[in-house]
Structures are given as structure tokens and as C-alpha cells.
Amino acid sequence: MRDFHLPGRSAVFANDGLCATSHPLAAQTAISVLKEGGNAMDAAIAGAVLLGLCEPQMTGIGGDCFVLFSPAGSNDVRSLNGSGCAPKNLSASMLRDKGHGRVVKQSVDAITVPGAIDAFCQLNSDWGNKSLAEVLAPAIHYARAGVPVAPRVRLDWNRAVSNLHPSAQPYFTIDGRVPNIGELFYAPKQAEVLERIAKEGRDGFYTGEVAHDIVTSLNALGGVHSLEDFAAQRAFYTDPISISYGDIELFEHPPNGQGATAILLLNILSQFDLGQMDPFGAERAHIEAEATKVAYGLRNEIIADPARCTNLDEMLSPETAKALASRINLKVAQKQNVLLDEMHHKDTIYITVVDKDRMAVSLIYSIFDSFGSGIASEKYGILLQNRGAGFSLKSGHANELIGGNRPMHTIIPAILQKHGQTMMPFGVMGGQYQSTGHARFVTNFVDFGLSPQEAIDAPRSFAEDNILKVERGYAPEVVQSLSDMGHDIVQDMEPIGGAQAIQIHENGVLEGASDPRKDGCALGY
């Protein structure tokens, strides 16, 4: 239990339904959908689409999503891949011929076909209780009525406004400036698009006037996207991957997401007796940092389009984890040899909902970078993701940019089970950090017995590009010890990621946890 003399956040307990996400309006919308007869899938989609207006620098209908869910009355965990493909007429060789060594993040070449809307339509049709029009109605309302800009959103918006292309500035600034805290952000053109989707389903986005607006806008900037690329976009169901850690089982989304990296990290960390360490001490932070370096090095070589990810079994093998763990020096920080500059980003939303029938949904949704590509369609102002920056331009690489393929993604939802029973959907935002964040949340929960809220509140560190980002929640003597081990410490930075979780207790009570690093909350009824 937390010290009530100190600032902090209590967990939220409820019985009939609960949502945890990064903005209060989205959490409230999800709960309203539940109260009005919708299920967890309806609520998660309604909240997620609204988050594209509450946090437009993080996500939007021009992005991708991945979803894990456990249906009501079942403890099966199912997954849906809502990521989009590179245009058929684009290739790594074309960009190499232009002199590029990587896909430029804020460029038309980085724009992949948005996959989230098709995924939402399919999930609503297959699993929802409410009509698509009912699910989209809250976002349509707020797009016209306006959303007050929250403090963390304003901070991120201000840092990223320079990423906006001239095509996007009229839609995502107010006369060229960043909205102030509490100022209303309006998106009436997005309301028009959402109304088309509500009426026509996926075709309201992937064919007709909306698709034409996007494609002609991109072609005018030199893109090779086609109407056929958009018409062909389809989400698809996949089989989750999992690992047993202690007495729980972690379910992750398979590639092209990086969920396998979280599994690899836990396999590596299981080689060390974490439970005997100080959870907020230097020893644990050092081992986690060194494990991250070796795990992400392998990730960068393997994770790719599902059809090209042929070495997944090697990545998930306990023998691989043991071999990587043997490289870790317990006293000295090692150099991080494999870097992917194009993967630097931190902008994602995550929402989790559990309903009265105990359907559990774990949904993550992103436009990749801050404001994605920065490019918006001319007529409707649809901000487009730059997921293509996740491709490699190296010839023969598993993740090489090939027209029609999906790039490696960093966004990953998760679900925990215990004794075969679904007991916690959770997610961690923060770009590259997400796999490390999943492993840290699980070890906080399993090895150190922290509650979900305590596991989220706990200080974080992250090894990235030969620096160790260390949040100020660590004691100064711990930071000094890490520096003495050879870590190049950085603390002048934004908080590391964000997280949300809902624990389903054995007596059926729901416990929601929400990250204070974001503006959001957990709400239940």
C-alpha cells in the first residue's frame, strides 16, 4: 500500500466494467459505451478512435493497431493484426538508388497504408454488440465540439509541432501555433470521414472520396501509393505467442510487432535471481539494460513481415536466451552494437477494457512518430503514419522494404493469464521501450509482488543507443552506481513511456491502474 502522506495514485476498483487509458475523455467514453449495452470491444474501439482527437500527436485514423482479446465466457487469447503495407510500387532498391541509407521518417516514402480502420470495422462486426455508427458517435461528437488540450498532450504537441508538413499545419495548429492547455482542438473534417465510415464501413475509408483524397495528396508529393493499395488493405487474425514466467503466462502479439522481444527479454532475465535484488537498485537496472542490448540486437535482425519472419523459433528458444544471458557482464556496461536510428519514436496510445461478462481487450494504436509522417491529406486532413520508417533498406534483410510487405512494428499489446484464466490485459507505450517495458512490468508484478499501479508507478530506465535513460525516481546513489559500471547516464529527458492495466481478481473484482506519466486514468462502474 502506498504512503498516503506522499503524492500518488490509488488503483480503481469496480465490478461491472473498467477501462484504463491515457486520456480521461476516452476512459469515460468507454465506460459510457459499456453502460449503454456495449461490450469491451465496442468500448475499446470507441475510446481508441476518440484518442486520435485527444492525443493527435500520438495516434489517429491514419495509423495502425494491434489487438489481443479474450472473449466473454472463454479464456482463449486471440489476436488481430491491424497493420498496413508499403505501397506495391515502392522498394528498398528505389530508395537506395536515390542515395538513401534508410527510410526518411518525415517523407512520403515512409507512409504505409493505414490499417487501424479496417481492423476496427472487422472487430466491431465480428465481436461487437453495438453498430459501428454507435461506436463512432462519441468521436464524431468530439471532433466537432472540440477536445480541451491536456497538459501532457500540450507538452508533446509543442515538442513535435516542427514535424508537421505544410499540408498538416492548418489541421493541427491554431493559426500556426500550438494550442494551449485547456484550449479546444477541433477536427470537423475528421468528423466527416468518421461519418462516412459509420455509414459505409471500411469502404468509407479505403475506397471512394476519402481514399482518393489520400492517394492524390501523396502522389502530388512524389508518393507511389495507389487506390489499389488502399482497397487491398485487410486486417487478419493470428495466433498469439506466449511464455510462462513464474506462475503466470504472458501472451504477446506475433510479428510484425516486437512482442517476441518481450518474451526473449523475460527468458534472459529468468537466468538471474531478480527476486533477491532491490527492485529499484543498480543491480537490477544494470541487468535489465544489458539484457535489452542483446535482445534488441537480435530483434533488429529477425522481426519483419509475418511471411518473412522465418527465425522466430530461434528468438523464442530458451537456449537462445541462455546464450545471450551468458554475454552479460554483471559489473560492466557493454557497448550496444546494433542501432536503428529510424526507430526512434515514442508516440502511441494504449487502451484496455474489461466488461461485466469479462471480455478483456488489449488494444494499441499509433501513427509511429510524433505526428507520424507529418503529412496530411489535402481535403480531409487525415494525418498519415510513417510506419515505413521501420523498414530496413539493406538488401536481403528480413525486414527489407518490399512493396506489399508490413514493416517491423514496436507497438505491442499484452495479456497475462494465471492457471489458464485471463487475469490482466496490459500495455506499455513508449516506442522502442515497449518490449523492455513489458518485461519490467511483468517482473515488477511477479518477482517483486508489486500491484499493477505500483508496477506502473515504479521508476524506469532504458538502454538505448549506448546511453542509459534513467528516470529521476531512482535514488542518486543508484544513478551513481550505474555510472560507475560504465553506463552513460541521461536524466534530462521526457518520462519513459506510459502504461495501463486491469487485473481481474479471483473474486471477479476489477482493479485498474493508469500511468501518472500521462494525462489518463482508470474508470469503472
Side-chain angles (χ1 to χ4, degrees), residues 104-429:
V104 178
K105 288 195 297 182
Q106 268 70 51
S107 76
V108 70
D109 297 322
I111 297 173
T112 49
V113 177
I117 288 298
D118 184 74
F120 295 157
C121 291
Q122 185 164 339
L123 288 167
N124 171 257
S125 175
D126 294 347
W127 297 98
N129 285 350
K130 285 185 163 289
S131 70
L132 187 61
E134 290 174 303
V135 169
L136 297 180
I140 293 170
H141 163 75
Y142 279 109
R144 289 202 169 96
V147 174
V149 173
R152 176 63 195 268
V153 173
R154 206 280 178 180
L155 176 70
D156 293 337
W157 202 318
N158 191 55
R159 285 173 170 165
V161 68
S162 62
N163 288 346
L164 291 173
H165 184 269
S167 62
Q169 289 174 6
Y171 296 101
F172 296 96
T173 65
I174 298 176
D175 298 326
R177 65 172 176 82
V178 176
N180 295 315
I181 294 172
E183 195 168 6
L184 292 173
F185 169 63
Y186 300 94
K189 286 296 184 179
Q190 284 200 50
E192 292 182 33
V193 175
L194 291 171
E195 285 174 334
R196 285 177 177 269
I197 297 166
K199 182 179 179 180
E200 304 171 26
R202 68 171 305 281
D203 288 345
F205 187 85
Y206 292 96
T207 64
E209 190 173 358
V210 173
H212 186 266
D213 173 44
I214 298 172
V215 170
T216 55
S217 299
L218 296 181
N219 292 165
L221 295 173
V224 295
H225 306 73
S226 70
L227 290 172
E228 290 75 19
D229 291 324
F230 279 72
Q233 173 61 32
R234 290 293 187 279
F236 59 95
Y237 292 102
T238 67
D239 295 322
I241 53 179
S242 65
I243 179 183
S244 292
Y245 189 83
D247 62 352
I248 63 97
E249 188 169 11
L250 168 68
F251 287 83
E252 294 279 355
H253 204 287
N256 50 317
Q258 63 164 342
T261 315
I263 290 176
L264 173 59
L265 268 167
L266 285 172
N267 275 333
I268 294 171
L269 294 173
S270 70
Q271 309 302 310
F272 304 92
D273 194 0
L274 293 187
Q276 299 304 309
M277 301 176 190
D278 178 351
F280 314 127
E283 183 181 17
R284 182 206 181 188
H286 171 74
I287 289 173
E288 182 181 273
E290 298 308 291
T292 293
K293 294 173 185 177
V294 294
Y296 278 50
L298 188 59
R299 178 203 74 170
N300 293 347
E301 296 301 316
I302 290 179
I303 301 296
D305 183 277
R308 292 175 58 83
C309 188
T310 57
N311 294 324
L312 185 61
D313 288 345
E314 173 192 346
M315 190 168 182
L316 301 179
S317 165
E319 288 70 29
T320 297
K322 289 177 182 177
L324 293 176
S326 70
R327 300 181 188 175
I328 294 175
N329 187 315
L330 297 179
K331 301 295 183 183
V332 179
Q334 303 298 306
K335 181 177 173 61
Q336 194 166 4
N337 293 317
V338 181
L339 310 177
L340 271 185
D341 292 346
E342 60 267 40
M343 298 299 291
H344 287 190
H345 68 286
K346 300 184 170 52
D347 294 337
T348 301
I349 67 88
Y350 174 80
I351 184 168
T352 179
V353 183
V354 178
D355 64 26
K356 61 182 175 59
D357 298 315
R358 297 306 181 253
M359 171 184 261
V361 177
S362 183
L363 187 158
I364 201 157
Y365 171 40
S366 173
I367 51 173
F368 189 70
D369 210 28
S370 298
F371 287 116
S373 65
I375 295 170
S377 65
E378 181 179 359
K379 180 175 182 180
Y380 291 110
I382 299 170
L383 191 66
L384 297 160
Q385 67 182 359
N386 56 342
R387 276 289 164 190
F391 280 117
S392 170
L393 295 187
K394 183 179 177 181
S395 180
H397 193 283
N399 189 37
E400 182 181 3
L401 186 138
I402 297 174
N405 277 13
R406 292 171 169 84
M408 181 186 110
H409 273 52
T410 52
I411 58 174
I412 48 175
I415 287 179
L416 295 180
Q417 286 195 342
K418 186 173 183 179
H419 307 315
Q421 305 288 312
T422 295
M423 56 90 67
M424 194 187 306
F426 78 93
V428 178
M429 297 161 274

Side-chain angles (χ1 to χ4, degrees), residues 500-511:
Q500 315 287 334
I502 301 173
Q503 183 172 359
I504 306 169
H505 288 277
E506 291 183 5
N507 67 355
V509 170
L510 305 175
E511 178 181 351

